[in-house]
């Protein structure tokens, strides 16, 4: 009898071949509406999807939302309206390889490229000299950290960040939360997953940016998050970043607090923003 792993391998090949030719599922009405409410800009021949809503009258504050892995800007749908009642501009994008943005193959996906895409969007919208708040989650946390690093290195050229709120995962860890509602099967997950190795390689650069910045930081934390177990993660976070403020949500909230508890998440974020 052949070794079990050989049999599994032989079975996996045709199944994978079939899987790669299965068309993606039809978009839900909610996703179709999300896409129709946005637009595209071009970054190095890649079409990048984004949404830009004008909100509160009398406010000049701008917030840019950076989504996690392996999802998209749609992760912010439940708090979008609430944000528009506080901010003058609410902006979110799909990183290259995610959501409605292009998914080039082959391609060397990197956190550095995603940060440059955020910069490109800011330039595209004519906001380069504006002070911008960042609200990030998961994969987007590392993009925010790279933007913080650049703001420290090139302060005369790059005044992007005024306040940063991080929804989980600032210390590089492995993501175990998988959601597939907008990530087509044709994306090279193995290429995108290189961000895990990048986090390890550039940990000093990105955690160092959080430790060195004078920008106000805030963490919104779900205690049931399997990626960042309670209380160890929170203890480590407070030890590494004692200047950051923290909001801890209800005990049943996990890795996607903006979806699991949009009201609690929004209140925590706005309390942080309104404290200045």
């Amino acid at each position: 009898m052949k070794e079990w792993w050989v049999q599994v391998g032989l079975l996996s090949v045709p199944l994978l071949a079939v899987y790669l030719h299965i068309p993606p599922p039809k978009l839900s009405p909610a996703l179709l509406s999300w896409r129709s409410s946005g637009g595209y800009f071009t970054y190095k021949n890649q079409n990048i999807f984004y949404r830009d809503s004008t909100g509160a009258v009398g406010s000049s504050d701008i917030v840019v939302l950076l989504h996690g892995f392996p999802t998209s800007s749609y992760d912010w749908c439940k708090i979008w309206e609430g944000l528009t009642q506080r901010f003058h501009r609410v902006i979110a994008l799909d990183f290259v390889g995610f959501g409605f943005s292009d998914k080039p193959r082959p391609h060397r996906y990197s956190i550095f490229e995603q940060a440059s895409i955020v910069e490109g969007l800011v330039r595209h919208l004519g906001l380069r000299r504006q002070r911008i708040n960042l609200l990030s989650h998961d994969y987007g946390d590392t993009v925010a950290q790279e933007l913080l690093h650049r703001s420290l290195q090139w302060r005369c050229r790059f005044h992007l960040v005024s306040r940063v709120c991080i929804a989980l995962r600032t210390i590089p860890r492995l993501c175990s939360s998988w959601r597939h509602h907008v990530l087509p099967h044709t994306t090279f997950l193995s290429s995108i997953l290189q961000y895990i190795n990048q986090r390890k390689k550039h940990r000093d650069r990105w955690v160092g940016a959080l430790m060195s910045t004078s920008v106000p930081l805030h963490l919104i934390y779900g205690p049931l998050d399997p990626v960042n177990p309670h209380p160890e993660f929170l203890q480590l976070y407070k030890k590494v970043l004692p200047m950051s403020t923290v909001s801890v949500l209800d005990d049943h909230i996990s890795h996607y607090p903006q979806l699991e508890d949009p009201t609690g998440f929004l209140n925590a974020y706005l309390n942080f923003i309104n404290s200045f």
Side-chain angles (χ1 to χ4, degrees), residues 16-239:
L16 181 62
V18 170
Y19 174 72
L20 290 176
H21 287 85
I22 297 176
K26 292 183 178 180
L27 296 178
S28 67
L31 282 172
L32 288 171
S33 175
W34 187 264
R35 184 175 64 180
S36 66
S37 299
Y40 292 84
F41 82 104
T42 301
Y43 177 84
K44 293 187 176 180
N45 298 320
Q46 305 295 342
N47 293 315
I48 305 299
F49 175 83
Y50 70 95
R51 288 194 65 185
D52 178 11
S53 294
T54 301
V57 177
S59 171
S60 60
D61 287 349
I62 300 166
V63 62
V64 173
L65 314 176
L66 307 178
H67 70 81
F69 174 92
T71 49
S72 75
S73 59
Y74 190 66
D75 281 355
W76 307 108
C77 65
K78 291 187 176 182
I79 64 169
W80 193 268
E81 183 178 354
L83 290 174
T84 62
Q85 295 175 13
R86 169 58 179 81
F87 291 92
H88 175 60
R89 300 275 288 274
V90 180
I91 300 163
L93 76 160
D94 290 350
F95 294 125
V96 64
F98 296 80
F100 297 122
S101 292
D102 282 353
K103 301 164 186 65
R105 47 185 303 183
H107 188 75
R108 293 179 62 88
Y109 293 94
S110 77
I111 294 296
F112 300 102
E113 177 187 37
Q114 306 290 19
S116 295
I117 289 172
V118 176
E119 291 180 307
L121 177 59
V122 168
R123 287 193 299 270
H124 173 74
L125 297 176
L127 302 174
R128 187 178 178 188
R129 298 189 179 278
Q130 301 293 318
R131 293 172 61 85
I132 293 175
N133 302 282
L134 292 181
L135 174 56
S136 64
H137 175 243
D138 189 80
Y139 182 94
D141 291 350
T142 311
V143 178
Q145 288 169 252
E146 171 59 19
L147 291 169
L148 272 178
H149 176 81
R150 296 182 187 188
S151 71
L152 290 169
Q153 296 299 308
W154 305 313
R155 188 171 299 277
C156 293
R157 183 183 69 83
F158 183 65
H159 291 278
L160 174 64
V161 178
S162 62
R163 286 165 290 204
V164 176
C165 184
I166 297 166
L168 305 180
R169 302 192 59 238
T170 60
I171 309 301
R173 300 186 66 127
L174 178 65
C175 177
S176 63
S177 296
W178 289 76
R179 297 166 61 89
H180 298 281
H181 62 279
V182 288
L183 184 70
H185 62 266
T186 52
T187 301
F188 277 144
L189 286 178
S190 60
S191 296
I192 294 178
L193 280 169
Q194 288 303 309
Y195 82 93
I196 295 174
N197 293 330
Q198 292 166 23
R199 277 179 162 174
K200 295 177 181 178
K201 181 178 180 180
H202 302 289
R203 184 186 188 280
D204 290 345
R205 175 188 180 98
W206 291 331
V207 177
L210 291 174
M211 297 174 66
S212 302
T213 186
S214 60
V215 171
L217 302 174
H218 189 73
L219 170 73
I220 301 177
Y221 179 62
L224 202 59
D225 180 20
V227 182
N228 304 285
H230 185 271
E232 293 82 4
F233 172 78
L234 204 55
Q235 293 169 350
L236 175 61
Y237 181 89
K238 290 179 178 179
K239 179 180 179 180

